Amino acid sequence: MTRTVVISGGGTGIGKAVAARFAADGDRVAIIGRRADVLERTAKEIGGIALAADLSEPAEVERVRADLAERFGTIDVLVNNAGGNIERHGGSGDVAARWTGNFRANVLTSVLPTEAFRELLNPNGTVVFVSSIAAFRGSGGTSYGPMKAALHPYAFDLASALGPRGITVNVVAPGFIEDTEFFRGTMDDERRAMLVGQTHTGRAGTPQDIAETVHWLASPGGGHVTAQIIQVNGGAERGR
């Protein structure tokens, strides 16, 4: 059965890998993000649909909801992958501005579309939030980790609310995932060796690692898994 899959932050990295994984099954895939040119390239590559929008803005979320409803009617899988650390490259010394920025980038971009699209979700559908190892270990003094952590109890409550409809809700928390914009430009050989050294598997993660986990959660094999946080970090959260 062909499913309709909606993925935020689907133009690059993890989101692109997730989109490609579902598209390979013949599913209808819609990717959402702020950069129309990036989205269009990826959509053309995987055979999906690009919807440019800033998901931290309620009006744009409503526009996307109306578009999805008109195109597809319903949604089977919603993957909330959009996010990033706006404090990574410094910025204003204004604490409120930094925390508000990461709240918008990581919490609102997941909560607003989920609330707007939840009535479009088919029975036995799937919702997945992409969090981070930083939600468990901290993020070097930035607000990124706390904002990702905020998604966890939200996902638990949503799983309870949507469970009667057969909809599962889970969180995937990646660690060091190479070949993503999140780490690009911030990685020297020493830091890479340190992050890989924290794993038990002796390697960096890949976007495909996350894509396969998300795909499984949306498969019959993951049908009785809900209100869980699946860590995909090679054991790094436990330390060496």
Side-chain angles (χ1 to χ4, degrees), residues 77-89:
V77 181
L78 173 61
V79 182
N80 292 290
N81 171 69
N85 187 359
I86 69 162
E87 296 187 68
R88 174 176 293 278
H89 301 293

Side-chain angles (χ1 to χ4, degrees), residues 10 16 24 35 37-38 50 100-101 121-122 124 164 182 188 193 207 225 240:
K16 180 179 179 180
R35 295 174 296 177
D37 56 338
V38 173
T100 300
L121 288 166
N122 276 323
N124 302 313
F182 187 89
D188 56 26
V225 179
R240 297 292 289 179

Side-chain angles (χ1 to χ4, degrees), residues 118 127 129 152-170 225-228:
R118 63 191 287 173
V127 179
F129 296 91
H152 299 183
Y154 173 63
F156 301 155
D157 287 344
L158 194 68
S160 176
L162 299 183
R165 292 168 54 191
I167 298 169
T168 62
V169 182
N170 292 287
V225 179
T226 195
Q228 302 300 310

Side-chain angles (χ1 to χ4, degrees), residues 100-237:
T100 300
N102 266 340
F103 173 75
R104 290 177 60 85
N106 296 285
V107 179
L108 288 187
T109 55
S110 288
V111 173
L112 291 182
T114 300
E115 292 299 317
F117 305 164
R118 63 191 287 173
E119 295 309 316
L120 299 180
L121 288 166
N122 276 323
N124 302 313
T126 305
V127 179
V128 178
F129 296 91
V130 177
S131 176
S132 170
I133 191 174
F136 297 90
R137 302 201 320 182
S139 48
T142 74
S143 59
Y144 174 74
M147 295 307 153
K148 285 298 189 183
L151 297 176
H152 299 183
Y154 173 63
F156 301 155
D157 287 344
L158 194 68
S160 176
L162 299 183
R165 292 168 54 191
I167 298 169
T168 62
V169 182
N170 292 287
V171 178
V172 174
F176 171 38
I177 305 297
E178 212 158 32
D179 194 26
T180 60
E181 289 186 338
F182 187 89
F183 287 103
R184 193 169 298 138
T186 69
M187 195 63 53
D188 56 26
D189 290 344
E190 183 179 0
R191 182 162 187 252
R192 183 185 185 280
M194 181 270 291
L195 292 174
V196 170
Q198 292 175 348
T199 70
H200 300 331
T201 55
R203 70 169 178 88
T206 69
Q208 194 63 30
D209 289 323
I210 310 305
E212 292 294 341
T213 303
V214 173
H215 186 266
W216 172 74
L217 286 170
S219 75
H224 199 50
V225 179
T226 195
Q228 302 300 310
I229 303 171
I230 313 298
Q231 295 201 54
V232 186
N233 55 47
E237 188 267 332

